[in-house]
Amino acid sequence: MITTDDLRFFLSLSTAGSLAQAARSLDVTPPAVTQRLNALEKRLGVRLVNRSARGIALTDEGRLLAMRAGQISHDLTVLADELAGRRGVVAGHLRVVAPLGFGQRYIAPLVADFRARSENVTASLTLSDGPPRLASDNWDVMVHIGKLRDSTLVAHPLAPNRRMLCASPAYLKRRGTPAMPEDLRNHDCIALRENDEDVTLWRFRRARGAAVGVRIAPVLSCNAGATALEWALGGHGIVARSEWDVATHVRAGALVPLLAGWSLPDANVVALVKSRQELSARTAGFLTALRAAFVAPPWRGGAS
């Protein structure tokens, strides 16, 4: 016989690289994990995990159990949500994913505030500068900035967000100010590597529709937006960055917007969910909180 506790245990084990890592995630000792795994394998009569000096690997039977355990765990969560919803209770675990810098500044406070107002809710926030795992089941709401690559997801618009070309006054004094997109080929440019985009091709458009693509040769590149911004503030080059990240620096005079009359593609902020079907009460409630927070975008003078 197998229990829901067994399923939760094996799900944690299946995502770990070693028994020691599984023990840390479960907050128990490695011998306790080994003992429980041995007991589970004995009850089921199959080997679930192969152990080696390099770590652990699931057997075919282990992969089957992990897959079914994930399905059952998901179904139980959905059932609990439906029952709680019928009682009008906002409950369960809310899983939010967001970009690192934006998430730290704007989403983390909202998650904490939402949990504080919903005593039956727990919440986790995953922040990353890397491309999001859109197909994963490990999230309820994903805050996304820019072009959406997975059309099967449902997008809820949150806020407008332009992309801006900027440089520090010190850089412009030293190197001059570009007048046309083509001038960027003779300037020090900073590239931000994210979302598998072609980061060396900057696309501009005039208000009346003329489009120009400029292939830059970056002198600096990074996969972290905060680092690219610091380089620009330090006078190391020209950066294309989201309005939410540079607007305060522009207002303070630390960065100067460039190429008036030309615009980069917008990178608007949206909240993604995975289904058009009825959302859990906690997910719907958090979406409402997100929309309210960005009615007046903070980077355009709204409340922070």
Side-chain angles (χ1 to χ4, degrees):
M1 181 178 179
I2 191 167
T3 67
T4 53
D5 282 343
D6 292 328
L7 297 180
R8 283 192 288 268
F9 163 75
F10 195 72
L11 271 177
S12 294
L13 181 65
S14 68
T15 59
S18 66
L19 294 178
Q21 183 179 338
R24 287 192 294 272
S25 68
L26 293 166
D27 197 23
V28 297
T29 64
V33 171
T34 300
Q35 184 177 8
R36 184 164 186 180
L37 175 59
N38 290 340
L40 181 59
E41 289 179 327
K42 184 176 181 180
R43 270 187 286 132
L44 295 177
V46 294
R47 191 171 186 83
L48 300 172
V49 174
N50 289 320
R51 295 86 152 171
S52 72
R54 292 177 296 177
I56 59 175
L58 300 184
T59 63
D60 287 344
E61 292 76 15
R63 284 190 289 271
L64 175 61
L65 178 59
M67 180 186 70
R68 294 292 176 84
Q71 292 171 344
I72 292 170
S73 178
H74 173 74
D75 290 344
L76 288 173
T77 300
V78 171
L79 176 59
D81 288 343
E82 290 176 351
L83 293 174
R86 293 192 178 191
R87 303 196 313 272
V89 175
V90 180
H93 187 66
L94 176 70
R95 302 165 300 176
V96 182
V97 176
L100 180 59
F102 186 86
Q104 287 175 324
R105 189 179 305 180
Y106 296 114
I107 305 303
L110 295 177
V111 171
D113 181 65
F114 181 75
R115 202 233 63 83
R117 291 185 287 103
S118 309
E119 62 180 16
N120 295 310
V121 170
T122 59
S124 60
L125 174 62
T126 300
L127 302 173
S128 174
D129 260 337
R133 294 177 57 198
L134 297 177
S136 171
D137 287 331
N138 296 324
W139 55 274
D140 301 302
V141 178
M142 177 180 290
V143 178
H144 184 72
I145 299 176
K147 185 178 180 180
L148 180 61
R149 298 180 181 277
D150 189 337
S151 61
T152 66
L153 300 174
V154 182
H156 297 263
L158 294 180
N161 175 52
R162 292 177 296 149
R163 292 175 68 229
M164 303 173 67
L165 198 71
C166 301
S168 71
Y171 173 84
L172 298 176
K173 182 179 180 179
R174 187 174 75 251
R175 295 295 308 277
T177 301
M180 297 290 289
E182 293 85 349
D183 296 341
L184 295 172
R185 297 191 180 99
N186 299 316
H187 277 269
D188 295 341
C189 294
I190 300 168
L192 177 61
R193 303 190 306 272
E194 60 181 356
N195 296 336
D196 298 324
E197 295 178 357
D198 185 353
V199 299
T200 65
L201 182 61
W202 289 359
R203 302 178 186 276
F204 298 88
R205 183 175 294 277
R206 272 199 185 280
R208 296 189 177 276
V212 172
V214 178
R215 179 70 66 181
I216 62 166
V219 296
L220 291 167
S221 64
C222 184
N223 67 334
T227 298
L229 177 59
E230 286 300 319
W231 284 340
L233 288 167
H236 296 288
I238 296 173
V239 71
R241 197 71 187 108
S242 279
E243 178 186 5
W244 71 261
D245 201 21
V246 300
T248 56
H249 299 293
V250 169
R251 286 195 290 269
L255 290 175
V256 178
L258 305 175
L259 297 184
W262 293 89
S263 62
L264 291 160
D266 290 339
N268 295 330
V269 185
V270 299
L272 304 176
V273 294
K274 288 172 283 191
S275 173
R276 295 186 183 277
Q277 298 175 356
E278 185 175 352
L279 301 173
S280 68
R282 67 177 178 277
T283 299
F286 187 65
L287 283 174
T288 298
L290 282 174
R291 293 191 195 97
F294 294 105
V295 166
W299 50 92
R300 294 189 177 179
S304 60

